[in-house]
Amino acid sequence: MAASVAAATRRLRRAIRRSPTWQSPSHRPLSSEPAAAQASAVRAAFLNFFRDRHGHRLVPSASVRPRGDPSLLFVNAGMNQFKPIFLGTVDPRSKMAGFRRVANSQKCVRAGGHHNDLEDVGRDLSHHTFFEMLGNWAFGGEYFKEEACSMAWELLTQVYGIPEERLWVSYFDGDPKAGLDPDLETRDIWLSLGVPASHVLSFGPQENFWEMGDTGPCGPCTEIHYDLADGVGAPQLVELWNLVFMQHNREADGSLQPLPQRHVDTGMGLERLVAVLQGKHSTYDTDLFSPLLSAIHQGCRAPPYLGRVGVADEGRTDTAYRVVADHIRTLSICIADVWKGYREDRAVRFSTEILKSPPGFLGSLVPVVVETLGDAYPELQRSSAQIADLVSEDEAAFLASLQRGRRIIDRTLRSLGPSDMFPAEVAWSLSLAGDLGLPLDLVELMLEEKGVQLDSAGLERLAQEEAKHRAQQAEPVQKQGLWLDVHALGELQRRGVPPTDDSPKYDYYLRPSGGYEFGTCEAQVLQLYTEDLTAVASVGKGQRCGLLLDKTNFYAEQGGQASDRGYLVRAGQEDVLFPVARAQVCGGFILHEAVAPECLQIGDQVQLHVDKAWRLGCMEKHTATHLLNWALRQTLGPGTKQQGSHLNPERLRFDVATQTPLTPEQLRAVENTVQEAVGQDKAVYMEEVALALTAQVPGLCSLDEVYPDPVRVVSVGVPVAHALDPASQAALQTSVELCCGTHLLRTGAVGDLVIIGERQLSKGTTRLLAVTGEQAQQARELGQSLAQEVKAATERLSQGSRDGVEAHRLSKDIGRLIEAVDTSVMPQWQRRELLATLKMLQRRANTAIRKLEMGQAAKKTQELLERHSTGPLIVDTVSAESLSVLVKVVRQLCEQAPNTSVLLLSPQPVGKVLCACRVAQGATPTFTAEAWALAVCSHMGGKAWGSRVVAQGTGSTADLEAALSTARAYALNQL
């Protein structure tokens, strides 16, 4: 009996590890399932249960755009927004710092990065790129395992009415290698709740130990599973709910340490829960998707959805239904959250190519998404029309790109030989990294359908060059400074150390003479840390250390503004400077990174001095950033949203949500609007107010961030009290933002602002780079200088060129100008205009060169035809200014003598020799131009390239006759 139970347990473990997906509709229906409930009622029941029965605060879903987390492309779990609590870095003045027990339904997207279900959607009946994660949390030990398990069991069995015999649970079986014991506490809790021992399974760390990442909070988890088989035959278990007990921290060295505070983090997918409660074997059969599937059927006139998968899904019709239904939900959610990191191409391809949908079809599905999800996520209702418009615009743009891409591919294929690979440069220009924005996998598929091989090696080379170029453009990665980890923060909180008072950072004023005066700050050393974050009582000479003070006037990096730098002195020893490289805020504590020239110890009194030039540079850039944000909204419309920013004294970076790239005219208009505000030298008002007062102010700018309460408001030209009066509408007429940064007191000190760079970060997000003050003036002067050079090049081209040498020289000069304009620090609007002019000039110059070369080639062709009688072979020398001219001579010879194979050599200065050849149309298959050129150029110590029909190359030799003999001998042997 024991052996049979053990065998059954092993089979169950294997079943759970396989993570079974929902079965196909041919599987027998569920029996004794609970009464069906609408998805909206299921979601509401979850939230009401935790709020009304167990005192949880309901918090809204965070945006799917990650909040200050560069490790994520999308929010992919309910716990993402609470990371600051788990890490101990939450601002103690924020509302989040007061969270103890909360619950919500979080919008999640898994369509990129480490968690990416994009390619799996449609292939089965369960994968989604967008899903809703129901979750409840307990922070700081508010409750732990017993309460979490009993709440979950109560909800599932008593509220949702799921039969207890259909539920199985698993717990952590321990990990001897990590020194972790089995979580017998959780096992016993489940048994005490009445779960049969046969339904309680144990697993190792892969299944039942949850980790946030390579480092950070982690802990054992217990999962609740549902048995689809209902006791008939072998159990078919699907996971419903995961309860994580965060009690450890994964250190950088891989070891585990106890967390200062324990937390509960649970997550249950709404879609799967609804499928269980509605008795469906597929999440796509629930009322979360059925309205969409019905709308797709009506809009496309495709066969009705039957829920088939794999080979049973002939023509992949049902796959297309699932792809379109899933992706339009994801698109709608992402656009509502002003986050266009999601691609629409897959949905467009399936809807148009398989479902044969009419133009604009995807946009017509948006109201259905809003109808099913809008009550839970009101941002969908507010943005419904805009979402539909954007989806339709993107669909039309993608289809236009697809059509143009097909034409380019067909035109390119006509110029290739039968065995030639498709050029990597053309594929790159079609791709997302090039001009048309077609995914490379789609380009490869289109070529595969035509039986053509892509030059993958060339494509890889181009990708590496692009990556190198982007790396050069990217801002240098700042060396990681000292940082208080969860243990250090927990120890400070345990000791009752108050957060650092950094209000002195705002203690500065404008002198009558126009300069700024920054006050010093008297402070006491509360704690010292070594480089490895060991807390020490003192540090010695030359030691790099972290200082925690009771107060500071240093601005710690946050809100996109770089940290202050400067120095501190010990009281009574003002001639010994302790340089401070940076200050970082960690959970309300500000850590100063310094190098100690002499001994420093806890209790020492110090005086802090900020680097005035550095601080003033940051203030200048930060006020300019607010003016830039305001100018963009004035130019592009009031709905324009900031996506992020970063600034230091050198330059500022600003990310903005845009449907299309800014035009040169818009860029110039933005600069002019900023210049107008700077020229008016408006006063900048700053004041701390209750966060609630900022909630309903039309036009007030804020980001998707957790703000402290009270919060600081920065208003340009209008006192804060007036700006926050909704009746005044002041925030619609000037820059008013929530901001903790340091700012100028008057706008005039910005001097000037020039946007010097612009690029698309992703679909719908543009990154702008700008400089101010003297740097802006220098950028304008350089722009004018380059504009004069472009004007001179235009005049030279208009005068015409009498010979190829002069034409080539002009073309090279234009090329050098293009590079100079492309890389110089100058106004971006002017760069775009000058580049457009230069590319036009380059086309005209190249046309002139081609005409000159064609004329030269025609003349030399006649000379060669007069020298050679009609025959199967012409091998000779000819003077040519370039390889391009030589190739044209060969082409014209073969056009006039199609049955003749031609190879020409052209001696150049310093012994260099150019080579070009073409084989006759009727030549034997083994006689190829590439091999012919290679034989001759190898003889000259050079190289050759080309195709079966035409080739070219270079070499060096003083004995042209020997090279010509090699060419004749090779050809005669082939002929």
Side-chain angles (χ1 to χ4, degrees):
M1 179 67 181
S4 62
V5 171
T9 300
R10 285 195 295 271
R11 288 196 298 273
L12 285 174
R13 286 178 173 175
R14 287 195 296 271
I16 291 180
R17 285 193 176 108
R18 285 197 297 270
S19 299
T21 56
W22 301 104
Q23 303 296 315
S24 67
S26 61
H27 189 75
R28 69 175 187 81
L30 295 173
S31 60
S32 68
E33 67 266 358
Q38 289 188 332
S40 58
V42 174
R43 186 193 300 111
F46 180 93
L47 299 174
N48 293 341
F49 171 81
F50 280 102
R51 180 191 61 195
D52 299 339
R53 291 199 190 182
H54 296 286
H56 286 61
R57 179 202 296 250
L58 299 187
V59 298
S61 168
S63 164
V64 296
R65 181 174 184 259
R67 179 188 289 158
D69 191 343
S71 66
L72 296 175
L73 181 60
F74 299 100
V75 164
N76 57 27
M79 54 74 59
N80 289 158
Q81 69 168 309
F82 304 116
K83 272 188 178 182
I85 298 179
F86 299 137
L87 297 172
T89 59
V90 64
D91 188 332
R93 299 171 300 166
S94 68
K95 181 187 294 185
M96 185 180 287
F99 289 175
R100 291 297 175 264
R101 50 175 73 194
V102 301
N104 83 342
S105 177
Q106 173 62 48
K107 301 172 292 186
C108 298
V109 173
R110 292 184 177 174
H114 182 64
H115 298 284
N116 188 355
D117 290 339
L118 183 62
E119 295 302 324
D120 292 323
V121 167
R123 295 177 181 175
D124 59 25
L125 301 175
S126 60
H127 275 95
H128 305 291
T129 52
F130 165 74
F131 63 98
E132 299 177 68
M133 184 72 82
L134 303 173
N136 62 289
W137 290 266
F139 302 118
E142 175 71 13
Y143 60 77
F144 208 48
K145 296 178 182 180
E146 184 174 0
E147 296 90 337
C149 293
S150 62
M151 289 177 193
W153 193 253
E154 179 187 2
L155 176 65
L156 293 177
T157 60
Q158 296 181 26
V159 177
Y160 289 138
I162 298 176
E164 294 185 7
E165 63 270 16
R166 300 289 292 270
L167 297 175
W168 295 63
V169 298
S170 64
Y171 68 93
F172 180 51
D173 196 24
D175 183 4
K177 292 181 180 178
L180 295 174
D181 295 328
D183 186 8
L184 301 181
E185 180 187 359
T186 297
R187 180 202 64 183
D188 293 343
I189 291 169
W190 287 124
L191 293 174
S192 70
L193 289 170
V195 182
S198 60
H199 283 208
V200 181
L201 307 176
S202 62
F203 294 98
Q206 183 175 351
E207 294 86 1
N208 278 96
F209 193 88
W210 187 91
E211 306 210 31
M212 184 185 294
D214 294 335
T215 61
C218 55
C221 62
T222 181
E223 295 176 341
I224 304 175
H225 300 263
Y226 180 80
D227 181 9
L228 296 174
D230 193 17
V232 179
Q236 296 182 39
L237 304 182
V238 292
E239 179 192 335
L240 271 188
W241 205 343
N242 188 14
L243 283 61
V244 180
F245 308 122
M246 293 193 187
Q247 58 191 87
H248 305 285
N249 193 73
R250 179 72 69 180
E251 306 297 320
D253 62 3
S255 64
L256 291 171
Q257 296 294 329
L259 275 177
Q261 292 186 318
R262 302 186 304 181
H263 312 285
V264 171
D265 164 23
T266 85
M268 175 164 55
L270 174 67
E271 291 76 10
R272 183 170 290 181
L273 174 63
V274 170
V276 165
L277 296 179
Q278 294 182 359
K280 306 296 184 182
H281 279 286
S282 166
T283 51
Y284 287 95
D285 292 335
T286 67
D287 65 331
L288 286 167
F289 287 91
S290 53
L292 272 171
L293 297 175
S294 176
I296 293 169
H297 173 57
Q298 294 173 10
C300 293
R301 302 300 176 190
Y305 177 71
L306 298 177
R308 300 165 300 181
V309 295
V311 294
D313 184 18
E314 296 181 11
R316 298 201 297 169
T317 301
D318 289 347
T319 298
Y321 265 101
R322 290 188 290 271
V323 167
V324 173
D326 171 86
H327 289 8
I328 192 60
R329 282 168 34 108
T330 308
L331 280 166
S332 300
I333 288 291
C334 289
I335 295 172
D337 284 345
V338 199
W339 187 233
K340 290 297 299 296
Y342 187 78
R343 284 167 31 193
E344 190 172 334
D345 55 272
R346 197 165 184 261
V348 176
R349 285 158 56 193
F350 274 91
S351 65
T352 57
E353 296 174 7
I354 296 179
L355 299 177
K356 308 301 180 186
S357 63
F361 170 68
L362 289 180
S364 71
L365 296 177
V366 171
V368 185
V369 176
V370 175
E371 180 67 25
T372 55
L373 296 176
D375 288 341
Y377 308 110
E379 58 272 20
L380 284 170
Q381 296 173 335
R382 292 193 296 268
S383 309
S384 178
Q386 181 188 12
I387 295 169
D389 289 345
L390 280 173
V391 168
S392 296
E393 288 175 14
D394 283 356
E395 178 184 0
F398 179 77
L399 289 174
S401 293
L402 190 62
Q403 187 175 15
R404 186 178 166 205
R406 288 192 175 114
R407 290 198 301 268
I408 292 173
I409 288 174
D410 290 341
R411 185 170 66 244
T412 304
L413 292 178
R414 287 195 293 270
S415 66
L416 298 180
S419 60
D420 290 347
M421 288 193 295
F422 193 83
E425 290 76 10
V426 179
W428 186 259
S429 72
L430 297 174
S431 76
L432 287 167
D435 301 324
L436 288 187
L438 300 179
L440 272 173
D441 58 352
L442 176 58
V443 176
E444 291 176 359
L445 180 63
M446 294 163 70
L447 293 175
E448 185 180 317
E449 291 170 351
K450 295 179 178 292
V452 179
Q453 185 179 358
L454 176 63
D455 179 8
S456 300
L459 201 62
E460 177 65 24
R461 174 180 51 80
L462 290 172
Q464 291 175 353
E465 290 176 359
E466 173 70 10
K468 183 178 178 181
H469 178 65
R470 285 190 176 274
Q472 291 172 343
Q473 283 190 326
E475 296 178 7
V477 178
Q478 190 178 32
K479 182 181 177 182
Q480 177 64 47
L482 298 182
W483 184 261
L484 296 178
D485 62 18
V486 66
H487 302 297
L489 290 168
E491 175 61 18
L492 291 170
Q493 291 158 1
R494 186 192 66 79
R495 288 165 44 193
V497 177
T500 310
D501 174 12
D502 65 344
S503 58
K505 67 188 177 187
Y506 299 124
D507 290 345
Y508 56 91
Y509 62 90
L510 198 55
R511 293 194 299 263
S513 60
Y516 280 83
E517 185 66 34
F518 298 94
T520 59
C521 177
E522 310 290 337
Q524 182 182 25
V525 178
L526 299 182
Q527 185 61 64
L528 293 162
Y529 296 91
T530 60
E531 286 193 72
D532 63 359
L533 279 184
T534 301
V536 293
S538 63
V539 292
K541 183 177 180 180
Q543 196 170 352
R544 179 170 172 254
C545 61
L547 292 86
L548 189 63
L549 311 173
D550 61 340
K551 65 177 69 171
T552 183
N553 60 347
F554 274 64
Y555 184 88
E557 178 155 355
Q558 57 186 316
Q561 179 175 327
S563 159
D564 274 338
R565 61 188 190 187
Y567 66 93
L568 61 86
V569 296
R570 199 164 43 191
Q573 203 173 8
E574 284 75 11
D575 56 338
V576 179
L577 307 184
F578 291 72
V580 178
R582 62 169 65 89
Q584 300 200 67
V585 60
C586 316
F589 298 100
I590 294 181
L591 190 67
H592 303 73
E593 185 179 322
V595 176
E598 290 190 2
C599 178
L600 190 67
Q601 56 190 8
I602 292 176
D604 281 351
Q605 297 293 323
V606 296
Q607 188 180 70
L608 295 96
H609 301 256
V610 298
D611 181 327
K612 296 179 181 180
W614 178 273
R615 164 68 81 85
L616 189 56
C618 288
M619 289 163 55
E620 181 183 299
K621 295 297 186 298
H622 208 149
T623 301
T625 299
H626 282 216
L627 294 177
L628 176 60
N629 191 7
W630 159 247
L632 284 164
R633 288 187 291 130
Q634 288 291 98
T635 304
L636 305 180
T640 303
K641 297 289 186 182
Q642 176 182 347
Q643 298 282 58
S645 66
H646 189 269
L647 62 99
N648 60 34
E650 296 300 317
R651 62 179 57 184
L652 67 89
R653 184 192 76 206
F654 192 91
D655 299 339
V656 59
T658 56
Q659 295 183 31
T660 57
L662 277 71
T663 65
E665 293 76 21
Q666 287 173 328
L667 289 168
R668 195 170 188 177
V670 168
E671 286 186 8
N672 290 340
T673 301
V674 174
Q675 284 181 307
E676 182 179 349
V678 171
Q680 292 172 353
D681 193 25
K682 295 182 177 181
V684 179
Y685 298 92
M686 290 161 276
E687 186 178 331
E688 281 195 349
V689 302
L691 186 60
L693 293 178
T694 68
Q696 304 297 327
V697 179
L700 183 139
C701 286
S702 62
L703 296 174
D704 181 32
E705 293 180 356
V706 177
Y707 286 98
D709 191 3
V711 67
R712 195 168 177 83
V713 179
V714 179
S715 174
V716 175
V718 178
V720 171
H722 181 64
L724 294 184
D725 181 358
S728 76
Q729 302 288 299
L732 293 171
Q733 300 159 16
T734 188
S735 170
V736 183
E737 298 194 27
L738 304 184
C739 179
C740 65
T742 58
H743 285 268
L744 297 171
L745 301 178
R746 301 198 72 86
T747 61
V750 171
D752 192 5
L753 179 139
V754 170
I755 299 171
I756 60 170
E758 169 212 27
R759 68 183 178 93
Q760 293 294 112
L761 283 185
S762 62
K763 179 70 174 177
T765 302
T766 297
R767 170 162 291 178
L768 302 176
L769 297 178
V771 293
T772 61
E774 187 177 342
Q775 292 171 300
Q777 287 300 315
Q778 292 172 351
R780 292 195 190 280
E781 290 169 5
L782 181 55
Q784 288 303 310
S785 175
L786 289 169
Q788 291 300 318
E789 292 189 47
V790 173
K791 182 180 179 181
T794 305
E795 293 172 353
R796 283 173 61 192
L797 186 62
S798 300
Q799 294 170 1
S801 302
R802 298 180 180 178
D803 59 68
V805 174
E806 172 58 27
H808 275 287
R809 185 181 297 118
L810 177 56
S811 179
K812 288 181 179 179
D813 288 345
I814 292 173
R816 282 192 289 268
L817 258 180
I818 288 176
E819 183 178 1
V821 170
D822 195 38
T823 58
S824 294
V825 177
M826 62 181 293
Q828 180 68 9
W829 65 264
Q830 192 173 32
R831 186 196 323 277
R832 295 257 297 271
E833 289 183 351
L834 292 182
L835 284 175
T837 300
L838 286 167
K839 288 176 180 178
M840 180 271 293
L841 293 178
Q842 196 169 54
R843 286 193 297 271
R844 287 175 53 192
N846 290 341
T847 300
I849 290 171
R850 281 195 298 272
K851 287 181 179 179
L852 284 169
E853 290 181 348
M854 291 295 287
Q856 294 171 1
K859 182 178 179 181
K860 296 180 188 302
T861 298
Q862 286 306 119
E863 294 173 357
L864 287 166
L865 287 173
E866 291 171 3
R867 227 164 40 225
H868 294 270
S869 58
T870 304
L873 188 65
I874 295 178
V875 175
D876 206 341
T877 61
V878 65
S879 63
E881 294 176 350
S882 64
L883 193 55
S884 176
V885 173
L886 191 63
V887 169
K888 288 181 173 63
V889 175
V890 169
R891 183 184 297 122
Q892 291 186 21
L893 273 173
C894 291
E895 286 173 354
Q896 297 193 40
N899 296 320
T900 301
S901 296
V902 178
L903 184 143
L904 300 178
L905 300 178
S906 178
Q908 302 292 305
V910 239
K912 184 179 179 182
V913 178
L914 305 179
C915 171
C917 66
R918 189 180 181 112
V919 297
Q921 294 177 357
T924 60
T926 58
F927 186 20
T928 69
E930 186 176 18
W932 193 11
L934 185 60
V936 177
C937 292
S938 297
H939 172 82
M940 298 187 295
K943 58 183 180 179
W945 58 94
S947 65
R948 187 184 64 80
V949 179
V950 62
Q952 53 194 288
T954 61
S956 296
T957 183
D959 190 353
L960 274 177
E961 280 304 320
L964 292 171
S965 297
T966 300
R968 291 191 190 96
Y970 182 91
L972 291 173
N973 182 53
Q974 295 295 323
L975 291 171

